Amino acid sequence: DAGITQSPRHKVTETGTPVTLRCHQTENHRYMYWYRQDPGHGLRLIHYSYGVKDTDKGEVSDGYSVSRSKTEDFLLTLESATSSQTSVYFCAITSDSLGNSPLHFGNGTRLTVT
Amino acid sequence: QQQVKQSPQSLIVQKGGISIINCAYENTAFDYFPWYQQFPGKGPALLIAIRPDVSEKKEGRFTISFNKSAKQFSLHIMDSQPGDSATYFCAASTWEGSYKLIFGSGTRLLVRP
């Protein structure tokens, strides 16, 4: 495994509550990503980071924010969870350009919003 | 807007057969095309990847065929085994200020004994 820990692994929350998912890496990799996985949609990029305090939006960023105050931690926050955000969330990391270094994924966080 | 289209959605193959999964892309700036394999309860893991300057890449029983003019690429699994049963994702990336990997919708492969 590439030294990626996602927490929590499972979470059930109610609509309207804030939720923070954590991704912790021990590889000192520069790039970190948050994806969500839904049936029929594959993996869709939410936000990514290319360095400490450097983040940008992906294709499905609405309703999500991120923060990266340290190289090893990348947090994903749902400010006010909705049922449409029920999904499996994956964190991924890479050290270099994607052609030179593969994307390594964590084992995911299953989030259910009731 | 789906930049990488993958088919079929699901596939059932007998042990020893050939599994074929296809992907098509739109963005001609894509310059890296990996395939990822995912088992239940796990994150995806890189299986094999290709760049557009070659038409084929083979690693063991897994082969990527790439057709730049048609903007299509495919994964072939020869002598498919029950242990190959998993979900497979094609993907594509390019530099747009940073590297982002865009995934297809996935193919669930079942290899029957």
Side-chain angles (χ1 to χ4, degrees):
Chain A
D1 289 346
I4 307 170
T5 303
Q6 290 188 234
S7 59
R9 291 296 313 277
H10 302 270
K11 185 169 182 66
V12 179
T13 191
E14 293 184 348
T15 298
T17 60
V19 177
T20 295
L21 308 182
R22 182 184 184 229
C23 177
H24 178 78
Q25 60 144 327
T26 58
E27 306 296 322
N28 200 37
H29 284 353
R30 176 182 176 186
Y31 299 95
M32 299 186 76
Y33 304 80
W34 277 107
Y35 284 88
R36 61 177 289 176
Q37 183 175 12
D38 305 287
H41 292 279
L43 292 143
R44 291 180 292 174
L45 182 63
I46 305 172
H47 281 281
Y48 63 100
S49 170
Y50 44 95
V52 173
K53 295 193 168 112
D54 291 324
T55 64
D56 206 345
K57 297 179 180 179
E59 56 187 313
V60 290
S61 59
D62 288 349
Y64 302 95
S65 63
V66 291
S67 66
R68 191 169 179 200
S69 58
K70 298 184 291 184
T71 298
E72 58 265 37
D73 289 325
F74 193 32
L75 304 180
L76 177 70
T77 298
L78 290 66
E79 301 291 346
S80 177
T82 68
S83 58
S84 65
Q85 294 176 311
T86 292
S87 186
V88 181
Y89 292 86
F90 286 97
C91 173
I93 65 174
T94 186
S95 61
D96 198 348
S97 60
L98 286 170
N100 296 323
S101 174
L103 201 59
H104 296 285
F105 284 83
N107 285 328
T109 293
R110 182 174 295 276
L111 176 68
T112 302
V113 183
T114 61
Chain B
Q1 179 187 359
Q2 191 174 7
Q3 295 193 54
V4 181
K5 295 184 179 180
Q6 183 172 348
S7 62
Q9 191 172 19
S10 62
L11 181 62
I12 300 175
V13 175
Q14 289 296 125
K15 178 182 176 181
I18 302 174
S19 304
I20 301 175
I21 304 170
N22 300 299
C23 284
Y25 63 96
E26 299 168 2
N27 187 349
T28 55
F30 287 146
D31 59 3
Y32 174 66
F33 300 88
W35 285 88
Y36 279 75
Q37 179 187 55
Q38 184 183 30
F39 293 105
K42 299 293 186 180
L46 179 66
L47 184 64
I48 186 173
I50 197 169
R51 287 198 177 277
D53 52 348
V54 297
S55 60
E56 185 175 283
K57 183 173 182 180
K58 183 176 181 179
E59 290 184 1
R61 296 184 293 109
F62 300 91
T63 299
I64 299 178
S65 297
F66 186 83
N67 186 328
K68 188 174 181 178
S69 61
K71 294 189 285 186
Q72 296 175 347
F73 58 110
S74 60
L75 176 68
H76 296 238
I77 306 174
M78 310 301 288
D79 186 26
S80 298
Q81 299 296 312
D84 297 331
S85 298
T87 300
Y88 292 81
F89 294 95
C90 63
S93 79
T94 186
W95 174 262
E96 294 178 353
S98 182
Y99 278 96
K100 295 180 289 186
L101 205 55
I102 306 300
F103 285 85
S105 55
T107 296
R108 182 171 291 184
L109 171 65
L110 175 63
V111 181
R112 294 197 185 279

